[in-house]
Amino acid sequence: MIDMGQTGQVFGEHGIGKTSTFFSHVAEAYPEAELVFVPAANLTPDDLLANAPVRDPDTGQLVLRQLVMSQLKPGRPFVLLIDDSLQAGETIQSQLMQIACNWTLGEYDLRALGCIGVFLSDNESLAETSARRSDLAILDRMVTIRITANDTAWRFKLASKYRKWDLSGVFTVWASLSPAVRELLSPRTLDHILANAQEGFPLRWGLPLINGERLRLVEPRGDGSPGQNRTAEVLDRIAASLGVPNPLTVPDPVRQVVRAALRNRWSVLLQGPPGCGKTELVRQTVREGLGGLEPLYFSLPVTNVEDLCAPIPTSDGSLDNLLAAGFTGPEPKAIVWDEYNRPKDKAAFAKLMEITQEWSLAGRRIDGLRAQIAIQNPPYHLGRKLLVSRNNIAQATRFTASLTVEPEDIPANEWLIEKYGPVAETVLDWWKHDIDEDGRAWITKRTIERLVKLHQRGLPLEMGTVYLGDGEYAPVPLAALMDRLDNRPVTGLRELAQQVDAWEARLRGAAEQTSEGGNDSDVVHQIIANAELSQLKKHRKAVARLVALLPPKLRSTYLVGASEKHQRFWIEIFAAMPR
């Protein structure tokens, strides 16, 4: 099509390697040419063409001229690839159609600028596109082909990327699936699954989160309704073919995946309920990984396009973009996209999508960018709908790892204890022991911090809980917390340590009656199991004395799913126990 001078239209499913095939083929077949890649789904109306005042070189007067984006004037022959053109808005569609039909844009002839080929690549799925080409005057100007995953070299690329594994077994598993499941498990998603397996993470983290829900590999029935869910089976077969485990989870998952993102140049998505400490933990972990440098932080509800870049005319009559200062410079960078599914407007989200998908901004690579971490809330929490936007599978599959974060995955308790001391310990003991699971869901770590501050000021605690309107607060009884804060008799790790001789005697009595322990054993076990590492270290001697008298089956649970620091603490305790 390049040699014939025809516009090419390429249709294919998402994630099968359409774009990467263009990059590799153009570089090999036309070494003198450059591939100009334009992600149409991320364009705003002024990106391709804009009118701006410029000084006329003959008269010296200011005149209005059309300026074309600088990427279309590379100074050498180029092939123009317009990706996801059907996802562009109406204004962009008009500009793209002029390019596709006539190889012109505004008053510019692209051939005169060096263009030797124009291609549009798209996925026809109605779940992803915002338009369909139906005008015969347009359709009659293109050469159109439809491709599948079998038409690209994705197997060779994955085999080259993961050389330590023989991927023939993985490819066999993929080929054995039905066409509908293979479409869900695209080569891009398979790449993400392999990346997570390489790090020892759960393989399901490679499956995208679409509108808050993990993608399921479901066989459709004959009538189109969902059939058998084969997700666990397929992922276990992939893990078996690689000879690696497929764990349900890993200790300290948020910090582990952020560190992996910094090592491997990943984009990751973290989804969790509000107020559990996701953002602070991510920023702290990124700061540690960048040697003290702060991440580039953007909160999407207040992020404008101008916070990222702004178009400016250049002396050669083209339209360039001025990047925000944080994106420039050679120093290592990581971007934190907070409230990712709450963008202020479509234009800002379009620019954001270019960065997350292409690791570039306005067509310019971002030097030193090592990781991107997007943080969002789920669509629903505690039975209430949150005001978040939707996404499609093409957007969701841009993240190498997608995690659903639970409050227990965030070590915010240690931070609260370090900052607020014994009062925070008391409130956390109430949160762990005195309220049920629903109550703990209503009392986030952010709420706990408010309760601590209100108590320190002597103000009513109810004001710190979530207000639901019409005089109603979160349905969580606070009487037990008030008792604890008023120093009425309660039992926590601090109280166990203060009365260690008495509790040691009670545990000995329980051990003499049965090897399974008794009620006292259960009480001590629950308190120790729920204690923070700093509390365990503070009362180390008492913990060692009491744990030695607990049944072995209870002691063994302290190592299961624990962080590396917790495991090290317990190994030292167990090693010092009398034989």
Side-chain angles (χ1 to χ4, degrees), residues 85-227:
S85 64
L86 292 178
Q87 294 187 38
E90 292 183 5
T91 303
I92 302 297
Q93 288 285 345
S94 301
Q95 295 175 331
L96 297 183
M97 289 307 99
Q98 185 189 5
I99 296 175
C101 294
N102 303 316
W103 290 29
T104 60
L105 180 60
E107 62 186 37
Y108 290 90
D109 184 344
L110 297 185
R111 292 180 178 85
L113 298 179
C115 184
I116 62 173
V118 174
F119 293 89
L120 293 85
S121 64
D122 284 289
N123 179 1
E124 290 183 279
S125 170
L126 292 175
E128 298 180 27
T129 60
S130 60
R132 276 293 181 96
R133 295 191 187 101
S134 58
D135 190 334
L136 292 178
I138 298 174
L139 296 175
D140 194 32
R141 297 172 185 264
M142 306 181 195
V143 176
T144 304
I145 60 172
R146 297 183 78 253
I147 64 173
T148 68
N150 291 325
D151 297 316
T152 62
W154 64 271
R155 294 176 181 84
F156 174 80
K157 291 295 184 182
L158 289 185
S160 177
K161 183 176 181 180
Y162 301 100
R163 294 179 182 275
K164 72 172 186 176
W165 287 327
D166 176 5
L167 296 185
S168 58
V170 175
F171 299 150
T172 300
V173 171
W174 187 87
S176 70
L177 303 175
S178 68
V181 176
R182 286 202 302 269
E183 183 177 350
L184 294 171
L185 188 62
S186 68
R188 182 191 297 151
T189 298
L190 189 58
D191 179 17
H192 296 166
I193 290 172
L194 295 175
N196 281 277
Q198 189 168 248
E199 290 291 329
F201 295 156
L203 271 62
R204 71 177 185 280
W205 287 2
L207 297 176
L209 291 172
I210 305 171
N211 299 319
E213 296 291 333
R214 179 80 62 191
L215 175 70
R216 297 183 301 161
L217 305 179
V218 175
E219 293 276 10
R221 296 191 179 98
D223 60 0
S225 62

Side-chain angles (χ1 to χ4, degrees), residues 270-285:
L270 305 178
Q271 176 178 284
C276 65
K278 305 181 297 297
T279 302
E280 289 306 315
L281 181 61
V282 166
R283 296 181 73 168
Q284 177 191 18
T285 308

Side-chain angles (χ1 to χ4, degrees), residues 201 205 249-258 270 403 408-409:
F201 295 156
W205 287 2
T249 187
V250 295
D252 202 4
V254 175
R255 280 194 280 222
Q256 284 217 50
V257 80
V258 171
L270 305 178
L403 279 68
E408 53 267 27
D409 296 327

Side-chain angles (χ1 to χ4, degrees), residues 480-491:
L481 175 58
M482 296 176 188
D483 287 345
R484 284 181 177 270
L485 293 172
D486 289 340
N487 294 316
R488 293 173 189 168
V490 291
T491 302

Side-chain angles (χ1 to χ4, degrees), residues 436-469:
D436 59 17
E437 187 174 343
D438 289 340
R440 286 192 289 273
W442 281 104
I443 304 297
T444 67
K445 303 305 164 62
R446 189 185 294 155
T447 303
I448 289 176
E449 184 177 20
R450 289 198 302 272
L451 293 175
V452 170
K453 291 181 175 180
L454 288 169
H455 172 72
Q456 290 175 334
R457 295 284 183 172
L459 297 172
L461 299 182
E462 187 180 46
M463 297 190 304
T465 59
V466 175
Y467 183 66
L468 303 176

